[in-house]
Amino acid sequence: MSFRFKSTILIACLILILTFSCSVKSGYKIYELKNAPYPHEARAEGHEYHQKHYSYEEHYSDSSVLVYIPDAYEKNNTTDLMVFLHGWGNSKDTCVKKFELASQLNEAGKNMLLVIPEGPKFAPDSHAGKFCDKDGFKRFIDELLGRLKDDGIVKNTNIGRILLSGHSGGYYGMAHILRYGGYTEKISDVVIFDGLYWLEEDYLNWIQAYDGRLINIYTENGGTKDNSEMFMGWCDSLNIDYFSGESKGLVTMPEDRIIMLYSDLGHSEVMHKRKNLLKILESMR
């Protein structure tokens, strides 16, 4: 057997080893994490809303986290994450299907893991448990990456970039993460799907302190229009450039760092009906 032939076989074997060592089977994984948003002392007795009690056991005791591994995923020296916080009356399991989060990530072909921690489960509540604590988000990410490494899904615990996104009441946890949750410097994109209800200062402070991209999609009747317009007024007064327009008819996302989009869609349609999430993912550089 010639030296050249032996070398060819060796190279082919090395390529196969590298290929299979980097590839991971796509699909869903569920983790129970001690640093997941819940349980949390703020909801140890449950929560009252409009004279109805939402018990701890049914709505605030779930420490599970859903991780979706897309078809295009391969292990790298750093790991990109899309963290999604669901809103009122939802759960991690219902929102991933209802809003087509996994399918849009797949269609975008991004080498990124989708992470959906359980929030207030089927409850009218924006509280985000441990994500409202200082460095709570950092502890969560550290634990999650450790578990993913143990399972061979990631090479190491090095973070690449984080896309922080949320719908409706998810804004509350996102704002606290940006304020003091840790790993703020790793957050490259913040996407608010019809959820700019309050804590606008946290988003504005993040824009001024970091170079990441902010995309806010708001609707006529979702309760976010006035605050979104106020936010644009703040940007005007501070000479912060932004793109303002309508999501309808947009084929690709604008290249601006701050994007404020009005949508004629319903409150729970802004992520998937016109594949806005897909367009956002495709626009990531």
Side-chain angles (χ1 to χ4, degrees), residues 222-256:
T224 59
K225 186 171 182 287
D226 289 345
N227 280 10
S228 295
E229 291 174 346
M230 180 182 70
F231 190 88
M232 287 185 274
W234 288 356
C235 289
D236 289 335
S237 66
L238 294 168
N239 293 316
I240 298 174
D241 294 331
Y242 60 91
F243 174 89
S244 176
E246 296 190 12
S247 63
K248 185 177 182 179
L250 276 183
V251 178
T252 58
M253 283 289 148
E255 295 183 356
D256 302 72

Side-chain angles (χ1 to χ4, degrees), residues 100-114:
E100 302 175 8
L101 303 178
S103 61
Q104 290 186 80
L105 178 59
N106 259 338
E107 191 172 346
K110 290 295 181 183
N111 190 18
M112 172 179 281
L113 298 175
L114 170 63

Side-chain angles (χ1 to χ4, degrees), residues 118-164:
E118 190 61 87
K121 192 173 184 178
F122 302 122
D125 190 0
S126 299
H127 194 271
K130 297 184 188 75
F131 287 173
C132 295
D133 298 339
K134 190 176 188 307
D135 290 329
F137 184 67
K138 181 181 186 299
R139 289 188 289 271
F140 167 79
I141 294 295
D142 286 345
E143 183 183 4
L144 175 64
L145 287 174
R147 294 286 297 276
L148 290 170
K149 182 176 181 293
D150 291 343
D151 284 352
I153 295 171
V154 301
K155 281 186 177 181
N156 51 51
T157 57
N158 297 332
I159 303 168
R161 65 195 297 183
I162 298 173
L163 187 161
L164 179 62

Side-chain angles (χ1 to χ4, degrees), residues 35-73:
N35 289 298
Y38 291 99
H40 189 267
E41 59 185 11
R43 294 294 184 265
E45 303 298 326
H47 178 59
E48 298 286 334
Y49 183 76
H50 284 183
Q51 298 181 330
K52 181 176 178 180
H53 182 70
Y54 294 84
S55 69
Y56 162 82
E57 291 78 12
E58 186 176 356
H59 302 281
Y60 300 99
S61 62
D62 193 335
S63 62
S64 64
V65 179
L66 182 150
V67 176
Y68 177 70
I69 306 164
D71 296 340
Y73 177 73

Side-chain angles (χ1 to χ4, degrees), residues 160-179:
R161 65 195 297 183
I162 298 173
L163 187 161
L164 179 62
S165 59
H167 173 241
S168 191
Y171 83 94
Y172 191 83
M174 293 170 65
H176 282 81
I177 289 169
L178 294 177
R179 187 189 304 175

